[in-house]
């Protein structure tokens, strides 16, 4: 049996989440939340106490526990592997850290041809703790599918070139416009690393993968097409033979949805700025959609949350495949109870 032909747990294959990804009829609309693991949960804060973020990503037992926490608490339809988009870059030896309250910080930003040499290939041995954690996790998860993930080449490049989080991505754009060949080579290197990292997760047992291109909404469509699409497409093509659903997500991507569809994913994630009935026209046929409640809505009253969730479900009512999610990650101070109630509401409203 080839690695791409692993025996699949039939209960996972029949889950509402994977059915919706494949645009098959579902018993209820599946729900999960981006950044559901490791945010506001008191049980998360407790187990993370005193352990730096990147170190916690390398401890399989801790990763397993944190990944399971939101599944236990909210009854969501999928788990997302607890890690971070910069983990594969750390694993190939880049000098980076995740600073509390800041995010990923890179000691020496990547801005020249010589800097590119520091981006070597990722091998499964570099991230053996990921394989170990996913094996432990899939044994514990039973019929709940596990989503693996990675940062998309553009979003990873933005951290590497800026040296940390950035609002305007000025160094990134300076490189993209000023040295298109170096930029293309950088994104191509990152596409290979990202594809290798997703393959490790699929081989270990992830049932779907999501590519986070969180900051690509900073680009105009022509720039996306020229400078980003080839690398993201390369990632999706590399994992296509595994036949697991591939999800593609970015923030502020209303004008890019058609091009993101062209990049090759099976499911396109949409933020809250574009209603799903409009998003489906932009993305084009043959793809499921994921989204798209504004995460800030969860700070309002229960009635308001339900009425806004109802709007999302109504806009999704004509879709062939819909996975309910937020339009971006859970905000850190969100009341966990609001997420549990929202999960129950969507399940109850969509039970068929
Ligand atoms: O979804 C989950 O619950 C799994 C865990 C997860 C995921 C999917 C973490 C843990 N990070 C991510 C992805 C991630 N990381 C993205 C894409 C998703 C998104 O857009 O939200 C991005 C852009 C990052 C980069 C990052 N890592 C930031 C954002 C910084 C910025 O530019 O504004 C931050 C704050 C981190 C650190 C981080 N990652 C994860 C956790 C729990 C933390 C906080 C750790 C800490 O401070 O101790």
């Amino acid at each position: 049996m080839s690695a791409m032909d692993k025996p699949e747990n039939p209960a996972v294959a029949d889950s509402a989440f994977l059915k919706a990804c494949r645009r098959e009829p579902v018993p209820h609309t599946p729900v999960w939340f981006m950044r559901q693991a490791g945010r506001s949960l008191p049980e998360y804060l407790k187990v993370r106490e005193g352990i730096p973020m990147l170190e916690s990503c390398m401890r399989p037992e801790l990763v397993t526990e944190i990944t399971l926490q939101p599944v236990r608490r909210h009854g969501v339809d999928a788990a997302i592997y607890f890690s971070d988009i910069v983990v594969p870059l750390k694993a190939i030896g880049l000098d980076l850290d995740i600073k509390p309250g800041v995010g990923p910080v890179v000691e020496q930003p990547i801005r020249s041809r010589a800097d590119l040499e520091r981006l070597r290939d990722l091998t499964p041995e570099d991230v053996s703790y990921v394989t170990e954690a996913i094996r432990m996790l899939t044994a514990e998860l039973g019929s709940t599918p596990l989503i693996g993930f990675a940062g998309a080449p553009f979003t990873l490049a933005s951290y590497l070139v800026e040296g940390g989080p950035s609002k305007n991505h000025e160094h990134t754009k300076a490189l993209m416009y000023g040295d298109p060949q170096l930029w293309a080579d950088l994104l191509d290197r990152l596409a290979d690393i990202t594809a290798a990292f997703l393959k490790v997760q699929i081989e270990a047992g992830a049932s779907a993968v999501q590519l986070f291109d969180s900051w690509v909404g900073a680009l105009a469509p022509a720039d996306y097409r020229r400078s980003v699409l080839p690398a993201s497409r390369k990632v999706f093509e590399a994992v296509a033979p595994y036949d697991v659903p591939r999800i593609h997500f970015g923030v502020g991507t209303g004008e890019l949805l058609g091009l993101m569809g062209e990049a090759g994913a099976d499911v396109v994630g949409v933020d809250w700025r574009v209603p799903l009935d409009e998003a489906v026209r932009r993305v084009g046929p043959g793809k499921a959609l994921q989204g798209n409640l504004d995460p800030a809505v969860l700070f309002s009253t229960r009635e308001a949350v339900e009425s806004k969730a109802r709007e999302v479900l109504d806009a999704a009512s004509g879709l062939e495949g819909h996975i309910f999610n937020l339009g971006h990650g859970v905000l850190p101070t969100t009341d966990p109870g609001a997420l549990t109630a929202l999960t129950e509401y969507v399940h109850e409203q969509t039970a068929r």
Side-chain angles (χ1 to χ4, degrees):
M1 190 182 288
S2 82
M4 288 180 197
D5 196 19
K6 290 191 300 283
E8 200 175 7
N9 177 340
V12 174
D14 284 344
S15 63
F17 170 75
L18 287 178
K19 283 188 164 167
C21 290
R22 298 191 300 257
R23 294 177 295 121
E24 294 167 7
V26 285
H28 61 264
T29 298
V31 183
W32 72 280
F33 302 113
M34 290 185 281
R35 309 299 301 274
Q36 68 190 16
R39 276 257 145 135
S40 55
L41 297 186
E43 58 269 37
Y44 165 73
L45 298 173
K46 188 152 174 257
V47 294
R48 267 286 317 279
E49 229 168 81
I51 309 171
M53 174 63 192
L54 279 173
E55 197 191 316
S56 67
C57 296
M58 295 173 196
R59 295 194 187 183
E61 267 158 33
L62 190 57
V63 167
T64 300
E65 167 59 22
I66 296 172
T67 302
L68 291 170
Q69 286 175 346
V71 179
R72 274 188 214 124
R73 187 190 260 264
H74 307 307
V76 284
D77 294 273
I80 178 146
Y81 180 70
F82 180 77
S83 182
D84 190 76
I85 58 168
V86 298
V87 162
L89 303 175
K90 180 76 180 176
I92 59 166
L94 288 190
D95 190 4
L96 63 82
D97 197 7
I98 294 181
K99 298 236 156 85
V102 179
V105 176
V106 183
E107 202 54 49
Q108 293 172 282
I110 296 218
R111 294 183 188 162
S112 69
R113 176 73 45 193
D115 292 334
L116 208 57
E117 303 301 315
R118 289 166 25 222
L119 291 177
R120 67 160 172 85
D121 283 337
L122 178 99
T123 69
E125 294 71 42
D126 293 321
V127 285
S128 54
Y129 47 85
V130 173
T131 299
E132 199 185 324
I134 290 183
R135 289 201 180 129
M136 288 169 78
L137 258 168
T138 45
E140 298 259 342
L141 275 166
S143 61
T144 305
L146 177 69
I147 305 169
F149 75 90
F154 175 83
T155 290
L156 291 179
S158 96
Y159 287 106
L160 292 179
V161 177
E162 301 295 334
S166 165
K167 217 163 138 190
N168 299 314
H169 308 282
E170 45 272 75
H171 295 288
T172 311
K173 290 185 178 180
L175 178 63
M176 186 175 98
Y177 297 122
D179 193 342
Q181 191 57 54
L182 176 59
W183 172 260
D185 293 346
L186 169 62
L187 261 69
D188 192 66
R189 294 288 313 120
L190 291 170
D192 290 342
I193 293 163
T194 297
F197 189 55
L198 292 178
K199 283 181 190 175
V200 167
Q201 296 175 65
I202 299 168
E203 298 259 357
S207 299
V209 287
Q210 175 156 325
L211 194 64
F212 281 97
D213 213 348
S214 301
W215 311 136
V216 80
L219 297 183
D223 293 324
Y224 181 89
R225 181 185 286 287
R226 190 183 312 118
S227 307
V228 175
L229 181 64
S232 292
R233 180 181 279 147
K234 190 179 192 194
V235 176
F236 287 122
E237 281 176 0
V239 295
Y242 291 94
D243 213 23
V244 301
R246 299 158 299 166
I247 311 170
H248 196 180
F249 169 78
V251 183
T253 51
E255 301 304 324
L256 304 178
L257 288 172
L259 291 167
M260 288 175 72
E262 279 181 43
D266 308 291
V267 182
V268 175
V270 182
D271 83 2
W272 62 93
R273 295 171 181 90
V274 183
L276 294 176
D277 48 354
E278 170 59 21
V280 72
R281 278 191 286 276
R282 298 187 189 185
V283 168
K287 293 179 192 295
L289 294 188
Q290 177 173 281
N292 67 344
L293 185 75
D294 181 347
V297 165
L298 287 160
F299 291 80
S300 190
T301 60
R302 183 157 178 163
E303 292 69 33
V305 174
E306 292 187 353
S307 120
K308 296 300 285 177
R310 187 69 252 171
E311 277 178 26
V312 171
L313 294 173
D314 288 344
S317 62
L319 301 186
E320 253 188 56
H322 175 223
I323 297 136
F324 190 97
N325 205 314
L326 304 178
H328 194 187
V330 173
L331 295 165
T333 54
T334 303
D335 169 14
L339 291 168
T340 310
L342 174 58
T343 309
E344 282 166 6
Y345 177 78
V346 173
H347 283 165
E348 180 195 287
Q349 291 286 307
T350 59
R352 302 185 175 95

